[in-house]
Amino acid sequence: MRWVTYCFLIFVILCGCSQNEPIEDTEDEILSTQDVEIPSNIFTSEKQNKKIDEEEVNLSIKTYLDSYEELTNASSPFLDVLYEGEDLSGNELEKFKKISKLTKENDENFSNYILKNTLPEGYQKETNRISKYITASNEILYGLDGTLSNITEDLNEGIIPEINLGSIKSKTEAVNGREQKKIEDFLDEKDISTKAFGRET
């Protein structure tokens, strides 16, 4: 079995584990891996032990979610290559790894920001929900990136690497339609516009 096909099977299994609702097909324009531009902006903040006002936290949420959406879109063509059972070239793999790295930094930066600062009343619970949901949805990407990084050497030695599906599945349980609806209701309540969840065209 070709190693990319093996990786994709893992990806499909994990996606199936994390989705509780059917996904509607869209007719988005297909972008080739060569045309992908790695997003230049992610959420960053050096603030600690500060009291954050509502305007700032709303902008922070928007930046985080917009970055998530852009990074997700950037990773999609590479996942399409795997879906077709094709190999990623060295350049494609390097680009995919950069996208994955930025995705992780985006998640970690936002998580640290909401944990290390004082947010306005009513925001702590919902920003935690947003952080948990987005990070969980990205666990599949992290797992696939790690597998792509390590699997070639293992397979060359005749070893099929073990993937802890139970562990990854438990991390993605927060990704479901109910949680997304709660997040979108909160975004509507606070009048936060974002590209995420198809809310901006």
Side-chain angles (χ1 to χ4, degrees), residues 126-140:
E126 296 305 323
T127 54
N128 284 337
R129 187 194 307 278
I130 291 169
S131 178
K132 181 179 178 182
Y133 181 93
I134 299 301
T135 301
S137 71
N138 286 329
E139 285 292 339
I140 294 170

Side-chain angles (χ1 to χ4, degrees), residues 47-51 116-118:
K47 287 192 173 182
Q48 294 188 40
N49 303 314
K50 302 292 184 182
K51 187 173 182 179
K116 294 181 178 180
N117 294 288
T118 301

Side-chain angles (χ1 to χ4, degrees), residues 11 16-17 19 24 36 44-45 66 82 91 99 129-131 137 141 155 157 166 169-170 172 178 189 194:
F11 177 71
C17 291
Q19 300 298 323
E24 294 182 7
V36 169
T44 59
S45 177
D66 284 353
L82 299 178
N91 288 338
I99 293 168
R129 187 194 307 278
I130 291 169
S131 178
S137 71
L141 180 62
L155 288 183
E157 296 176 0
K169 179 182 177 182
S170 68
T172 61
R178 293 185 301 276
E189 177 188 340
T194 174

Side-chain angles (χ1 to χ4, degrees), residues 47-106:
K47 287 192 173 182
Q48 294 188 40
N49 303 314
K50 302 292 184 182
K51 187 173 182 179
I52 309 298
D53 64 31
E54 190 165 341
E55 181 179 357
E56 180 180 342
V57 74
N58 285 355
L59 180 59
S60 297
I61 292 169
K62 173 179 173 55
T63 301
Y64 173 57
L65 290 176
D66 284 353
S67 298
Y68 156 74
E69 180 70 11
E70 291 170 4
L71 288 162
T72 298
N73 290 340
S75 69
S76 292
F78 300 94
L79 299 178
D80 288 342
V81 171
L82 299 178
Y83 175 79
E84 297 295 331
E86 301 295 331
D87 292 324
L88 289 177
S89 69
N91 288 338
E92 289 172 329
L93 183 56
E94 189 63 29
K95 189 180 283 190
F96 182 72
K97 286 174 64 64
K98 286 181 180 178
I99 293 168
S100 180
K101 181 175 182 289
L102 287 171
T103 299
K104 192 162 192 173
E105 288 177 1
N106 193 50

Side-chain angles (χ1 to χ4, degrees), residues 1-3 6 151-161:
M1 180 183 295
R2 298 175 65 187
W3 67 275
Y6 174 77
I151 196 171
T152 304
E153 181 179 346
D154 289 338
L155 288 183
N156 286 340
E157 296 176 0
I159 301 169
I160 299 297

